Amino acid sequence: MNQEVLEEARKVLEDSLVYYQNEPVGTVAAKDLSVDLINYDQVFTRDFVVSGIAFLLEGRHEVVKNFLTHLLFLQSKEKSLNCFRPGRGMMPASFKVDFQQNREVLLPDFGEKAIGRVAPVDAPLWWIYLLRIYVRFTNDGSFARRDDVQHGIRLILDLCLNDRFDQFPTLLVPDGSFMIDRRMGVYGYPLDIQSLFYLALRSANELLVDNDDNKPYREAVLERLGHLTYHIRTYYWMDFGRLNELYRSKVELYGEDSVNRFNIYPDTIPRWLGKWIPDNGGYFVGNLGPARMDFRFFTAGNLMTVLGSLASPEHVMKMMALFRSNWSSLVGHMPIKVCYPALRSDQWRILTGSDPKNTAWSYQNAGGWPFLVWLFTAVALLTGDIDLVEETMRLVEARVVADKWPEYYDGSQNRLVGKQAMLYQTWTAAGYIVAQRLVDQPEMVEHLIFREDVTINECTTRAARWVEKW
Ligand code: GLC
């Protein structure tokens, strides 16, 4: 272990704390004093999840409880026909502490102020998952059982499980609705949202108290988990066998017997894929909708399928084989690319809207994000790929302190500090702390994951039977 790096990381995390009424309630996204922070001086929900896990591993439970409580307070609770109000159940992407008439107030941003006005679909999903992690670490079940907390969970489920236009088990979302919060061709049914949705549903399944109010929710959650498991495992999975099948697949098939249900044209298979996918490896594709398969590899979405046991043991094995065989393109000099490969030329122009921040191999367009090391470490410890854990930690430790904890790295092998990367980015430090603490106490990974579950397996079998007739 590199004690010096760990101490530095702790300092960055400590410095990032935000206080409200004299209590720590969250962490700012970055504390880079050399630039205009825009909104990085706010507490981002998704960023705080990494800080929160770091605090839990360090025995600092109160910060996490405060954060969960205040975010619940900020949750949109009123039903409103005003289309500019956040939907009931929604939670903010970020919040800040403001002073109004000499009083401290919490000001949320549900995306209405964010660049591009992106909707943070992931925020309420992260909240449920962090709540479950908090309960696992602290055994503070009484907090989760509180009426207001149970109500908050039900509101989120209403938002996700209600009637909508499409008829898939996956969630339909606009572009940039999660960690990738700019236009990047990730609208529709992006994997990152689906695997986080799955974690949120599994959390709700554990956290919802068995009572009359919750009964229909508990049933709906289980049913959805079954359908999601079947849908993602069947239609999103890609390995060499699937690729070959798709390559030879018929199109324009109508009705129940159609094998190519989404009418994916073999011509849309990108050239890089055949070379990139190893014989023994596989992954879940980035997105799937009518006549559209986004073949890009998204790291967080894939790793989260392992945490939730949405990936089967065979999938997990193949995913790790894929990481090994593509180590230089996914990890290179710094873990880990947010996605692979980068969008270039016309694709970049059309799908990002010529976004100068998301040029090829930079930022969200296949840049390297060191905070992802927490997810990778949790998964690699589970699968016993200890050499990969050691290698990623070595790469982080070799540079992050000297580079001042950058938000991201650029280049096809993550070698350059990102062009516009914030320094002293909190989740870069928190991600390292989580990874290091998990290495020290691998048994703690249990608090972050969900094991395979007999009831969910039964629901999946039922879903499969049902879908045959679909
Ligand atoms: C960037 C990231 C986003 C993150 C925010 C604050 O916009 O893409 O995921 O929450 O910065 O760090």
Side-chain angles (χ1 to χ4, degrees), residues 295-348:
F295 295 87
R296 279 177 293 172
F297 175 82
F298 286 81
T299 303
N302 269 283
L303 293 173
M304 283 191 287
T305 64
V306 183
L307 299 191
S309 285
L310 169 55
S312 71
E314 193 196 337
H315 293 145
V316 180
M317 224 173 57
K318 290 189 155 186
M319 201 185 290
M320 292 318 276
L322 181 114
F323 268 108
R324 277 185 191 277
S325 87
N326 293 305
W327 194 253
S328 69
S329 62
L330 289 175
V331 177
H333 292 263
M334 181 61 71
I336 304 167
K337 287 225 168 298
V338 55
C339 58
Y340 180 91
L343 299 170
R344 278 174 283 193
S345 44
D346 275 353
Q347 257 197 336
W348 166 78

Coordinates of all heavy atoms in Angstrom, one line a residue, residues 295-348:
F295 N -22.6 -0.3 -30.4 CA -21.6 -1.3 -30.1 C -20.5 -0.8 -29.1 O -19.6 -1.6 -28.7 CB -20.9 -1.9 -31.3 CG -21.9 -2.6 -32.2 CD1 -22.7 -1.9 -33.2 CD2 -22.1 -4.0 -32.1 CE1 -23.6 -2.6 -34.0 CE2 -23.0 -4.6 -32.9 CZ -23.7 -4.0 -33.9
R296 N -20.5 0.5 -28.8 CA -19.4 1.0 -27.9 C -19.4 0.3 -26.6 O -20.5 -0.1 -26.1 CB -19.6 2.5 -27.7 CG -19.1 3.4 -28.8 CD -19.3 4.8 -28.6 NE -20.7 5.1 -28.6 CZ -21.3 6.3 -28.2 NH1 -20.5 7.3 -27.8 NH2 -22.6 6.6 -28.3
F297 N -18.2 0.2 -26.0 CA -18.1 -0.4 -24.7 C -18.1 0.7 -23.6 O -17.4 1.7 -23.7 CB -16.7 -1.1 -24.6 CG -16.4 -1.7 -23.2 CD1 -16.9 -2.9 -22.8 CD2 -15.6 -1.0 -22.3 CE1 -16.7 -3.4 -21.5 CE2 -15.3 -1.5 -21.0 CZ -15.9 -2.7 -20.7
F298 N -19.1 0.6 -22.7 CA -19.2 1.6 -21.6 C -18.7 0.9 -20.3 O -19.3 0.0 -19.9 CB -20.6 2.2 -21.5 CG -20.9 3.1 -22.6 CD1 -21.3 2.6 -23.9 CD2 -20.8 4.5 -22.5 CE1 -21.5 3.5 -24.9 CE2 -21.0 5.4 -23.5 CZ -21.4 4.9 -24.7
T299 N -17.7 1.5 -19.7 CA -17.1 0.8 -18.6 C -17.9 0.7 -17.3 O -18.2 -0.3 -16.8 CB -15.7 1.5 -18.2 OG1 -14.9 1.5 -19.4 CG2 -15.0 0.8 -17.1
A300 N -18.5 1.9 -16.9 CA -19.3 1.9 -15.7 C -20.5 1.0 -15.8 O -20.8 0.1 -14.9 CB -19.7 3.3 -15.3
G301 N -21.2 1.1 -16.9 CA -22.4 0.3 -17.2 C -22.1 -1.2 -17.1 O -22.8 -2.0 -16.4
N302 N -21.0 -1.6 -17.7 CA -20.6 -3.0 -17.7 C -20.2 -3.5 -16.2 O -20.6 -4.5 -15.8 CB -19.4 -3.3 -18.6 CG -20.0 -3.7 -20.0 OD1 -20.4 -4.8 -20.2 ND2 -20.0 -2.7 -20.9
L303 N -19.4 -2.7 -15.6 CA -18.9 -3.1 -14.2 C -20.1 -3.1 -13.3 O -20.2 -4.0 -12.4 CB -17.9 -2.1 -13.7 CG -16.5 -2.2 -14.5 CD1 -15.6 -1.1 -14.0 CD2 -15.9 -3.6 -14.3
M304 N -21.1 -2.2 -13.4 CA -22.2 -2.2 -12.5 C -23.1 -3.5 -12.7 O -23.8 -3.9 -11.8 CB -23.1 -1.0 -12.7 CG -22.4 0.2 -12.0 SD -23.5 1.6 -11.9 CE -23.6 2.2 -13.6
T305 N -23.1 -4.1 -13.9 CA -23.9 -5.3 -14.1 C -23.3 -6.4 -13.2 O -24.1 -7.3 -12.8 CB -23.9 -5.8 -15.6 OG1 -22.6 -6.2 -15.9 CG2 -24.4 -4.8 -16.5
V306 N -22.0 -6.3 -12.9 CA -21.4 -7.3 -12.1 C -21.9 -7.1 -10.6 O -22.2 -8.0 -9.9 CB -19.9 -7.3 -12.2 CG1 -19.3 -8.4 -11.3 CG2 -19.4 -7.4 -13.6
L307 N -21.9 -5.8 -10.2 CA -22.2 -5.5 -8.8 C -23.7 -6.0 -8.5 O -24.0 -6.5 -7.4 CB -22.2 -4.0 -8.5 CG -20.8 -3.3 -8.6 CD1 -20.9 -1.9 -8.1 CD2 -19.7 -4.1 -8.0
G308 N -24.5 -5.9 -9.5 CA -25.9 -6.3 -9.2 C -26.3 -7.7 -9.5 O -27.4 -8.1 -9.4
S309 N -25.3 -8.5 -10.0 CA -25.5 -9.9 -10.5 C -26.5 -9.9 -11.6 O -27.2 -10.8 -11.9 CB -26.0 -10.8 -9.4 OG -24.9 -11.2 -8.6
L310 N -26.5 -8.8 -12.4 CA -27.2 -8.7 -13.6 C -26.5 -9.5 -14.7 O -27.0 -10.2 -15.5 CB -27.4 -7.3 -14.1 CG -27.9 -7.0 -15.5 CD1 -29.3 -7.6 -15.7 CD2 -28.1 -5.4 -15.6
A311 N -25.2 -9.5 -14.6 CA -24.3 -10.3 -15.4 C -24.3 -11.7 -14.8 O -24.2 -11.8 -13.5 CB -22.9 -9.7 -15.5
S312 N -24.3 -12.8 -15.6 CA -24.2 -14.1 -15.0 C -22.8 -14.4 -14.8 O -21.9 -13.7 -15.3 CB -24.8 -15.1 -16.1 OG -23.9 -15.2 -17.1
P313 N -22.4 -15.5 -14.0 CA -21.0 -15.8 -13.8 C -20.2 -15.9 -15.1 O -19.1 -15.5 -15.2 CB -21.1 -17.1 -13.0 CG -22.4 -17.1 -12.3 CD -23.3 -16.3 -13.2
E314 N -20.9 -16.5 -16.1 CA -20.2 -16.6 -17.4 C -19.9 -15.3 -18.0 O -18.8 -15.0 -18.6 CB -21.0 -17.5 -18.3 CG -20.2 -18.0 -19.5 CD -21.1 -18.5 -20.6 OE1 -22.2 -18.9 -20.4 OE2 -20.6 -18.5 -21.8
H315 N -20.9 -14.4 -18.0 CA -20.7 -13.0 -18.5 C -19.5 -12.4 -17.8 O -18.7 -11.7 -18.4 CB -21.9 -12.2 -18.3 CG -23.1 -12.6 -19.1 ND1 -24.4 -12.5 -18.6 CD2 -23.2 -13.1 -20.3 CE1 -25.2 -12.9 -19.5 NE2 -24.6 -13.3 -20.6
V316 N -19.4 -12.5 -16.5 CA -18.4 -11.8 -15.7 C -17.0 -12.3 -16.1 O -16.1 -11.6 -16.3 CB -18.6 -12.1 -14.2 CG1 -17.5 -11.4 -13.4 CG2 -20.0 -11.6 -13.7
M317 N -16.9 -13.7 -16.3 CA -15.6 -14.2 -16.7 C -15.2 -13.7 -18.0 O -14.1 -13.3 -18.2 CB -15.8 -15.8 -16.8 CG -14.8 -16.6 -16.3 SD -15.3 -18.3 -16.4 CE -15.6 -18.5 -18.1
K318 N -16.2 -13.6 -18.9 CA -15.8 -13.1 -20.3 C -15.5 -11.6 -20.3 O -14.7 -11.2 -21.1 CB -17.0 -13.4 -21.2 CG -17.1 -14.9 -21.6 CD -18.2 -15.1 -22.6 CE -17.9 -16.4 -23.4 NZ -18.8 -16.6 -24.5
M319 N -16.2 -10.9 -19.4 CA -15.9 -9.5 -19.3 C -14.4 -9.2 -18.8 O -13.7 -8.4 -19.4 CB -16.9 -8.8 -18.4 CG -17.0 -7.3 -18.5 SD -18.1 -6.6 -17.3 CE -19.7 -7.3 -17.7
M320 N -14.0 -10.0 -17.9 CA -12.7 -9.8 -17.4 C -11.6 -10.3 -18.4 O -10.6 -9.6 -18.6 CB -12.4 -10.6 -16.1 CG -13.2 -10.1 -14.9 SD -13.2 -8.3 -14.7 CE -11.7 -8.0 -13.9
A321 N -12.0 -11.3 -19.2 CA -11.1 -11.7 -20.3 C -11.0 -10.5 -21.3 O -9.9 -10.3 -21.9 CB -11.6 -12.9 -21.0
L322 N -12.1 -9.8 -21.5 CA -12.1 -8.7 -22.5 C -11.2 -7.6 -21.9 O -10.4 -7.0 -22.7 CB -13.5 -8.2 -22.7 CG -13.6 -7.0 -23.6 CD1 -14.4 -7.5 -24.9 CD2 -14.3 -5.8 -23.0
F323 N -11.3 -7.3 -20.7 CA -10.4 -6.3 -20.1 C -8.9 -6.7 -20.3 O -8.1 -5.9 -20.7 CB -10.6 -6.1 -18.6 CG -11.6 -5.1 -18.2 CD1 -12.9 -5.4 -17.8 CD2 -11.3 -3.7 -18.4 CE1 -13.8 -4.4 -17.5 CE2 -12.2 -2.7 -18.1 CZ -13.5 -3.1 -17.6
R324 N -8.6 -8.0 -20.0 CA -7.2 -8.4 -20.2 C -6.8 -8.2 -21.6 O -5.7 -7.7 -21.9 CB -7.1 -9.9 -19.8 CG -6.9 -10.1 -18.3 CD -6.7 -11.5 -18.0 NE -6.8 -11.7 -16.5 CZ -5.8 -11.4 -15.7 NH1 -4.7 -11.0 -16.1 NH2 -6.1 -11.5 -14.4
S325 N -7.6 -8.7 -22.5 CA -7.1 -8.7 -23.9 C -7.1 -7.3 -24.5 O -6.4 -7.0 -25.5 CB -7.8 -9.7 -24.8 OG -9.0 -9.1 -25.3
N326 N -7.8 -6.3 -23.9 CA -7.8 -4.9 -24.4 C -7.2 -4.0 -23.4 O -7.6 -2.8 -23.3 CB -9.2 -4.5 -24.8 CG -9.7 -5.3 -26.0 OD1 -9.1 -5.4 -27.0 ND2 -10.8 -6.0 -25.8
W327 N -6.3 -4.4 -22.6 CA -5.7 -3.6 -21.5 C -5.2 -2.3 -22.0 O -5.5 -1.3 -21.4 CB -4.7 -4.4 -20.8 CG -4.3 -3.8 -19.4 CD1 -3.1 -3.2 -19.1 CD2 -5.1 -3.8 -18.3 NE1 -3.2 -2.8 -17.8 CE2 -4.4 -3.2 -17.3 CE3 -6.4 -4.3 -17.9 CZ2 -4.8 -3.0 -16.0 CZ3 -6.8 -4.2 -16.6 CH2 -6.1 -3.5 -15.7
S328 N -4.4 -2.3 -23.1 CA -3.8 -1.1 -23.5 C -4.8 -0.1 -24.0 O -4.7 1.1 -23.8 CB -2.7 -1.3 -24.5 OG -3.3 -1.7 -25.7
S329 N -5.9 -0.6 -24.6 CA -6.9 0.4 -25.1 C -7.9 0.9 -24.0 O -8.4 1.9 -24.1 CB -7.6 -0.1 -26.3 OG -8.4 -1.3 -26.0
L330 N -8.1 0.1 -23.0 CA -9.0 0.5 -22.0 C -8.3 1.2 -20.8 O -8.8 2.1 -20.2 CB -9.8 -0.7 -21.4 CG -10.9 -1.2 -22.4 CD1 -11.5 -2.5 -21.9 CD2 -11.9 -0.2 -22.7
V331 N -7.1 0.7 -20.5 CA -6.4 1.2 -19.3 C -5.2 2.0 -19.7 O -5.0 3.2 -19.4 CB -6.0 0.1 -18.3 CG1 -5.2 0.7 -17.1 CG2 -7.3 -0.6 -17.8
G332 N -4.3 1.4 -20.5 CA -3.1 2.1 -20.9 C -2.3 2.7 -19.8 O -1.9 2.0 -18.9
H333 N -2.2 4.0 -19.7 CA -1.3 4.7 -18.7 C -2.1 5.0 -17.5 O -1.5 5.4 -16.4 CB -0.7 5.9 -19.3 CG 0.4 5.6 -20.3 ND1 1.7 5.5 -20.0 CD2 0.2 5.3 -21.6 CE1 2.4 5.2 -21.1 NE2 1.5 5.1 -22.1
M334 N -3.4 5.0 -17.6 CA -4.2 5.4 -16.4 C -5.6 4.8 -16.5 O -6.3 5.0 -17.5 CB -4.3 7.0 -16.4 CG -5.1 7.6 -15.2 SD -4.4 7.2 -13.6 CE -3.0 8.2 -13.6
P335 N -6.1 4.1 -15.4 CA -7.4 3.6 -15.5 C -8.4 4.7 -15.4 O -8.2 5.6 -14.7 CB -7.5 2.7 -14.3 CG -6.4 3.2 -13.3 CD -5.4 3.8 -14.2
I336 N -9.5 4.5 -16.0 CA -10.0 3.6 -17.1 C -10.8 4.4 -18.1 O -11.4 5.3 -17.7 CB -10.9 2.5 -16.5 CG1 -10.2 1.7 -15.4 CG2 -11.3 1.5 -17.6 CD1 -11.2 0.9 -14.6
K337 N -10.8 4.0 -19.3 CA -11.6 4.7 -20.3 C -13.1 4.6 -19.9 O -13.6 3.6 -19.5 CB -11.5 4.1 -21.7 CG -10.2 4.4 -22.3 CD -10.3 4.8 -23.7 CE -9.0 5.4 -24.3 NZ -8.6 6.7 -23.6
V338 N -13.8 5.8 -20.0 CA -15.2 5.8 -19.7 C -16.0 5.0 -20.8 O -17.0 4.3 -20.5 CB -15.7 7.3 -19.6 CG1 -15.4 8.1 -20.8 CG2 -17.2 7.3 -19.3
C339 N -15.5 5.0 -22.0 CA -16.1 4.2 -23.1 C -15.1 4.0 -24.2 O -14.0 4.6 -24.1 CB -17.3 4.9 -23.7 SG -17.0 6.5 -24.4
Y340 N -15.4 3.1 -25.1 CA -14.4 2.8 -26.1 C -15.2 2.3 -27.4 O -16.2 1.6 -27.2 CB -13.5 1.6 -25.7 CG -12.5 1.3 -26.8 CD1 -11.3 1.9 -26.9 CD2 -12.8 0.3 -27.7 CE1 -10.4 1.6 -27.9 CE2 -12.0 0.0 -28.8 CZ -10.7 0.6 -28.9 OH -9.9 0.3 -29.9
P341 N -14.8 2.7 -28.6 CA -13.8 3.7 -28.9 C -14.4 5.1 -28.9 O -15.6 5.3 -28.7 CB -13.4 3.2 -30.3 CG -14.6 2.7 -30.9 CD -15.4 2.1 -29.8
A342 N -13.5 6.0 -29.3 CA -14.0 7.4 -29.4 C -14.8 7.6 -30.7 O -14.6 6.9 -31.7 CB -12.8 8.4 -29.5
L343 N -15.7 8.6 -30.6 CA -16.5 9.0 -31.8 C -15.5 10.0 -32.6 O -15.0 10.9 -32.0 CB -17.7 9.8 -31.5 CG -18.8 9.0 -30.7 CD1 -19.9 10.0 -30.2 CD2 -19.4 8.0 -31.5
R344 N -15.4 9.7 -33.9 CA -14.5 10.6 -34.7 C -15.2 11.2 -35.9 O -16.3 10.7 -36.3 CB -13.3 9.7 -35.2 CG -12.3 9.6 -34.1 CD -11.1 8.7 -34.5 NE -11.6 7.3 -34.3 CZ -10.7 6.3 -34.4 NH1 -9.5 6.5 -34.5 NH2 -11.2 5.1 -34.2
S345 N -14.6 12.2 -36.5 CA -15.0 12.9 -37.7 C -16.5 13.1 -37.8 O -17.1 13.7 -36.9 CB -14.4 12.3 -39.0 OG -14.5 11.0 -39.0
D346 N -17.2 12.5 -38.8 CA -18.6 12.8 -39.0 C -19.4 12.3 -37.8 O -20.4 12.9 -37.4 CB -19.1 12.0 -40.3 CG -18.8 12.9 -41.5 OD1 -18.4 14.0 -41.3 OD2 -19.0 12.4 -42.6
Q347 N -19.1 11.1 -37.3 CA -19.8 10.6 -36.2 C -19.7 11.6 -35.0 O -20.7 11.8 -34.3 CB -19.1 9.3 -35.7 CG -19.9 8.1 -36.2 CD -19.4 6.9 -35.4 OE1 -18.3 6.9 -34.8 NE2 -20.2 5.9 -35.3
W348 N -18.5 12.1 -34.8 CA -18.4 13.1 -33.7 C -19.2 14.3 -34.0 O -19.9 14.9 -33.1 CB -16.9 13.5 -33.6 CG -16.6 14.7 -32.8 CD1 -16.6 14.8 -31.4 CD2 -16.4 16.0 -33.2 NE1 -16.4 16.1 -31.0 CE2 -16.2 16.9 -32.1 CE3 -16.2 16.6 -34.5 CZ2 -15.9 18.2 -32.2 CZ3 -15.9 18.0 -34.6 CH2 -15.8 18.8 -33.4

